[in-house]
Amino acid sequence: MAHPGSTTPRRLGAVVAVVLMATAGPAVLPAGAATGTGSLPVAAPAATADVTAPVLKPGDRVLGMGRTGFLSQDADDFTLRRWTRLADGAVTTVPYKPRIYLSHDSDIAVLQNGATTTLRDLATGTDLFSVPVDWDRYAGAVGSHLFVRADLSGHGPLHVYSPGTDGPVRRTVAGLPADASDPHTVAGAGGEALVSYLTGEGTTAVARHLAIVDLASAAVTSSRRVLAGGSIEERDYALSAGHVAWTEYESGVGTSVVVLDRSTQKVQRFPMPGSGRLLIGLVGDWVTYSRPGGLLAEEAGPLIPLTARSLTGTTTRKLLDHTVSGFGTAGDAHGFVGGTVAGGEGLYRVAPGTDGVPTATRLAATGEPTQVTLLRQDVPTAVDLDRTGGKLPMSWELSRTNVNMWVTLRNTRTGESITEYVEQPAPSKDPQPSRFDWNGTLNWQGTPNFWTSASPGPYTWEIRASPLNHVGPTLKASGSFTVTRKTGAHDYDSDGSPDVLARDESGNLWLQDVHHGPGWKYTNQNPESLVGGGWQAYDRIEAAGNVAGAAAPEIVARDRSGVLWLYQGTGNGKAPFATRTRIGGGWQAYTLLTGGSDLTGDGRPDLVATDGSGRLWLYRSTGSATEPFAARRLIGSGGWQTYDRITATGNLAGAAHGDLVARDRAGVLWLYLGKGDGTFAARTRVGGGWQRYDDLIGSGDVDRDGKPDLYAPDVNDAIPSPFLYRGTGAWQGPFRPGEGVDLVQDSVRFDLFA
């Protein structure tokens, strides 16, 4: 018998009291009632002038949406459940029960505690009834109606409890077959429940069915056999007055969304790419579908957005950029947790617009963005690369890490930059930053696969994070920082690494950047960069170190009339030298020149020269650009004519003074340790075979190990083959075995290295 307050549903066909077998032709589900039982009064909004919009904490789980509010579980405390009223955002805490569900198509919660199940109207805060039913027999709820299996096995009758005058009224659902098992409600709307159940025994004989149960009469009004494939977690269902929708999985075919028009009995099947769970909904003459979890997907997919498809045509509309969960709600609508780039994350209602086309309206927001955003960054505003070993750790915390992320670092003074891929952290419950450890290198003059050390100055950083799932636009963010580092010997572009100067046969002077990256086992030499022409005027060009306090190391050049000129360094690799300053004449008396070592202990590099008589002269640096050297002083009375090369190397042996190496005409290299007063200790033999090199250059610390090195080019070969001799810091054996320098060079013949 009908429970009090029930109404008789409208019939659009004969009642189907038994299961329609597949052999009897296609089964149909007649359209259900337009009105139904169990309707709940809408609670009046609280009388307050300060109306607060509903909100959700980030991470809160929405358990269901009813007619006037939604039920959620706290992200940090799973025992805390809240009922949030949509009208004004008022929140009511729901007492903790081990299990809580929201009944379909209502504001009624199902509270289960041990062997007792209670239905509570969350809109009014009143309990409708309690029955001695534990969760093993619970089969779902629609409105104020509780469905219960007769026994724990899942077989036997399906009962429904409904409110009555003297307490809950129990009825047995009529029309289910005798062998029906595992019944449970999967959707509800308009006074009807959609029930799923199985028939048959064994793995091959089991069949799955859907039945519509009229809540007023507790009787099946129609049923239909559907595919039984897929797990229960992969299935979804929707019910409306005009349609029934469900998902089916068929091995080898995949998942399909199936929609039955209850008036015409027409079935439409929409195959979906791939397999896995789909969220579906019915909104007027449209079906909606989406694969949940797409916000964190590692690749794009057509099912990540919530899409509405017309059931009367082929038109589709994107409603949300992604979904997390979905549930039926009152009226011709459906609820989804998800987000859009424009509206952010939250709870959305999808309902027909004025033209009947579904639209999504956000009801409650979490405050989280849907698109990838930068939450925080940790990039120091300044870094001394000498103190950090050439490294700068950086990190950026993004709202999600399923992105392809690149960072570009740019020296705004020189224009040199580098773009590197930033690895993303493994997925984690707690946000983890995306880390990038910059090794202090840039692309040399913007050329890919050529590297140079970063010179000091102002820098910018820019990150670009493109979502792998194509949800939202590419994130772009930027900032700035400043780099400081000391300028090294032969470091004409102020990047801390030495450079080589080379003059071609046409008189053009070129700068070649030498780079030994952090942790590298080899040294690169970048292609030549033009300094300028007219340098054929000089017969000698020598590195002098920073003798006059310029921004970078300086050079001296002797013209063919014997006048010596000073070129102060600018630190700009594209224009490394300022206008020359005349030092003085008479320098044609010297056969060899070298500079760059502090031989007098005053912190400034000095210049030494040998004359035709074999004497060695010291020119102490003054620090003045107009008169850079003091009067010469004899520091070697003879014998220096035996050498065809002398090179100031800096402090080779670990003392506080600069040293000198000299090559005799037999190719033997000798070490002269500086005493700090402009003189040297007795020479020490380094070794023979050095005649193969055209020049010897005291390059400074190429490999950044704190010990000066020696660069030895051979430009007389058809293909130049420079070698680097890395310093050991020991006077007994000041150099390691030579290592080839990797360089790219055209067939330009150079006649001088400095």
Side-chain angles (χ1 to χ4, degrees):
M1 88 189 213
H3 67 277
S6 66
T7 57
T8 302
R10 170 174 59 94
R11 302 294 185 187
L12 293 180
V15 173
V16 181
V18 295
V19 178
L20 297 177
M21 303 304 293
T23 55
V28 297
L29 294 176
T35 61
T37 62
S39 299
L40 297 175
V42 177
T48 174
D50 183 15
V51 177
T52 303
V55 296
L56 281 167
K57 279 178 52 184
D60 282 0
R61 178 187 174 195
V62 176
L63 302 177
M65 186 166 74
R67 300 182 175 221
T68 67
F70 61 89
L71 181 65
S72 62
Q73 178 176 290
D74 190 84
D76 303 315
D77 182 0
F78 75 93
T79 67
L80 179 58
R81 283 74 176 263
R82 303 181 182 92
W83 173 255
T84 302
R85 194 162 53 194
L86 293 172
D88 57 5
V91 175
T92 302
T93 299
V94 180
Y96 171 70
K97 300 294 181 184
R99 294 175 179 83
I100 180 170
Y101 312 95
L102 193 65
S103 178
H104 293 290
D105 194 27
S106 72
D107 292 341
I108 296 173
V110 180
L111 308 175
Q112 291 185 327
N113 186 14
T116 301
T117 298
T118 301
L119 265 60
R120 173 172 296 176
D121 187 344
L122 298 179
T124 62
T126 58
D127 288 347
L128 302 183
F129 58 83
S130 295
V131 291
V133 173
D134 60 31
W135 70 274
D136 286 326
R137 296 170 55 210
Y138 173 70
V142 177
S144 57
H145 308 280
L146 176 67
F147 286 80
V148 178
R149 301 184 188 94
D151 57 51
L152 297 180
S153 69
H155 293 79
L158 177 64
H159 301 308
V160 57
Y161 288 86
S162 306
T165 304
D166 299 321
V169 176
R170 193 189 82 171
R171 296 169 293 164
T172 299
V173 175
L176 290 177
D179 63 342
S181 63
D182 192 31
H184 56 280
T185 60
V186 293
E192 295 178 316
L194 185 64
V195 175
S196 170
Y197 64 93
L198 300 175
T199 59
E201 298 288 346
T203 57
T204 59
V206 171
R208 180 168 297 279
H209 305 262
L210 292 178
I212 293 179
V213 175
D214 173 56
L215 297 176
S217 62
V220 172
T221 58
S222 59
S223 64
R224 183 181 186 90
R225 180 174 178 173
V226 299
L227 288 179
S231 66
I232 189 170
E233 292 81 10
E234 293 178 319
R235 305 186 196 110
D236 202 23
Y237 307 87
L239 175 67
S240 70
H243 299 87
V244 180
W246 64 95
T247 57
E248 290 185 345
Y249 175 76
E250 186 174 2
S251 179
V253 177
T255 302
S256 296
V257 175
V258 184
V259 182
L260 170 72
D261 186 314
R262 296 175 66 183
S263 296
T264 66
Q265 314 308 313
K266 177 183 178 182
V267 173
Q268 297 186 69
R269 183 178 296 273
F270 305 106
M272 298 291 160
S275 59
R277 188 187 179 199
L278 290 174
L279 301 177
I280 63 173
L282 290 168
V283 181
D285 289 329
W286 297 70
V287 62
T288 64
Y289 48 84
S290 172
R291 182 153 287 148
L295 186 64
L296 301 180
E298 297 291 328
E299 60 183 2
L303 295 178
I304 291 177
L306 177 65
T307 301
R309 180 185 177 94
S310 173
L311 296 173
T312 59
T314 60
T315 303
T316 60
R317 293 284 188 273
K318 185 174 82 167
L319 302 176
L320 298 177
D321 287 319
H322 80 98
T323 59
V324 175
S325 58
F327 17 75
T329 186
D332 202 3
H334 214 79
F336 292 95
V337 173
T340 68
V341 170
E345 296 297 286
L347 173 63
Y348 286 79
R349 174 188 281 128
V350 175
T354 55
D355 57 356
V357 178
T359 60
T361 303
R362 194 185 69 190
L363 302 180
T366 67
E368 300 167 292
T370 295
Q371 66 191 58
V372 179
T373 57
L374 177 62
L375 302 180
R376 58 187 59 86
Q377 57 90 5
D378 185 9
V379 180
T381 57
V383 59
D384 184 340
L385 291 181
D386 293 321
R387 299 187 63 180
T388 64
K391 296 183 179 180
L392 174 59
M394 310 175 180
S395 66
W396 300 268
E397 187 175 315
L398 308 183
S399 58
R400 51 188 170 95
T401 57
N402 55 333
V403 298
N404 272 325
M405 182 174 171
W406 299 84
V407 60
T408 297
L409 308 176
R410 183 180 305 278
N411 185 323
T412 58
R413 179 178 64 86
T414 66
E416 289 179 318
S417 65
I418 189 172
T419 298
E420 293 282 354
Y421 183 75
V422 181
E423 293 285 347
Q424 295 304 299
S428 171
K429 178 181 178 182
D430 298 320
Q432 298 294 320
S434 304
R435 302 183 185 276
F436 174 72
D437 291 329
W438 183 40
N439 64 3
T441 62
L442 300 172
N443 285 134
W444 175 77
Q445 295 191 358
T447 308
N449 300 320
F450 286 88
W451 313 101
T452 186
S453 298
S455 60
Y459 280 71
T460 59
W461 60 263
E462 181 185 65
I463 58 170
R464 302 186 311 280
S466 301
L468 296 174
N469 57 5
H470 296 180
V471 176
T474 296
L475 164 68
K476 294 182 180 181
S478 60
S480 62
F481 61 98
T482 302
V483 167
T484 57
R485 77 183 327 159
K486 293 179 181 178
T487 300
H490 278 264
D491 181 14
Y492 302 112
D493 56 5
S494 295
D495 62 0
S497 292
D499 307 300
V500 172
L501 293 177
R503 184 180 63 188
D504 64 24
E505 295 173 337
S506 299
N508 294 313
L509 188 67
W510 302 83
L511 183 148
Q512 295 182 335
D513 181 69
V514 178
H515 177 66
H516 188 98
W520 287 11
K521 296 182 179 180
Y522 55 91
T523 301
N524 279 347
Q525 183 169 318
N526 290 313
E528 57 270 11
S529 176
L530 182 64
V531 174
W535 291 81
Q536 68 271 22
Y538 304 110
D539 64 4
R540 198 70 189 168
I541 302 172
E542 290 293 338
N546 197 328
V547 299
E554 301 156 340
I555 60 173
V556 293
R558 184 181 66 189
D559 66 23
R560 300 187 187 279
S561 65
V563 176
L564 193 67
W565 300 86
L566 174 68
Y567 283 87
Q568 287 192 279
T570 65
N572 182 350
K574 296 181 179 179
F577 303 114
T579 304
R580 69 181 186 175
T581 301
R582 189 179 191 273
I583 295 174
W587 289 79
Q588 69 272 20
Y590 300 115
T591 56
L592 298 175
L593 295 172
T594 189
S597 282
D598 177 17
L599 304 176
T600 59
D602 60 1
R604 293 189 294 269
D606 305 306
L607 188 69
V608 293
T610 63
D611 63 20
S613 301
R615 294 175 293 180
L616 184 67
W617 299 89
L618 169 68
Y619 284 85
R620 181 178 59 83
S621 173
T622 66
S624 168
T626 56
E627 295 184 7
F629 300 110
R632 71 179 185 173
R633 177 163 65 96
L634 183 66
I635 58 173
S637 58
W640 288 83
Q641 69 273 20
T642 61
Y643 301 116
D644 62 2
R645 289 290 184 273
I646 60 172
T647 300
T649 60
N651 183 358
L652 279 177
H657 320 298
D659 304 319
L660 195 74
V661 293
R663 184 183 67 186
D664 65 25
R665 299 185 187 281
V668 176
L669 190 67
W670 301 87
L671 170 64
Y672 285 86
L673 296 176
K675 294 181 178 180
D677 60 357
T679 64
F680 301 98
R683 71 180 187 174
T684 301
R685 189 178 191 272
V686 176
W690 292 81
Q691 68 273 15
R692 64 175 291 190
Y693 299 115
D694 181 72
D695 210 338
L696 301 174
I697 298 174
S699 57
D701 187 8
V702 174
D703 59 358
R704 301 181 187 275
D705 65 352
K707 296 180 276 292
D709 309 311
L710 187 67
Y711 180 95
D714 182 358
V715 297
N716 292 317
D717 289 348
I719 299 176
S721 53
F723 277 76
L724 178 68
Y725 290 83
R726 299 164 66 183
T728 65
W731 66 269
Q732 301 93 335
F735 302 113
R736 299 179 187 178
E739 304 170 0
V741 176
D742 187 13
L743 79 163
V744 177
Q745 185 171 299
D746 296 331
S747 58
V748 178
R749 292 281 299 184
F750 295 106
D751 62 4
L752 181 141
F753 281 72

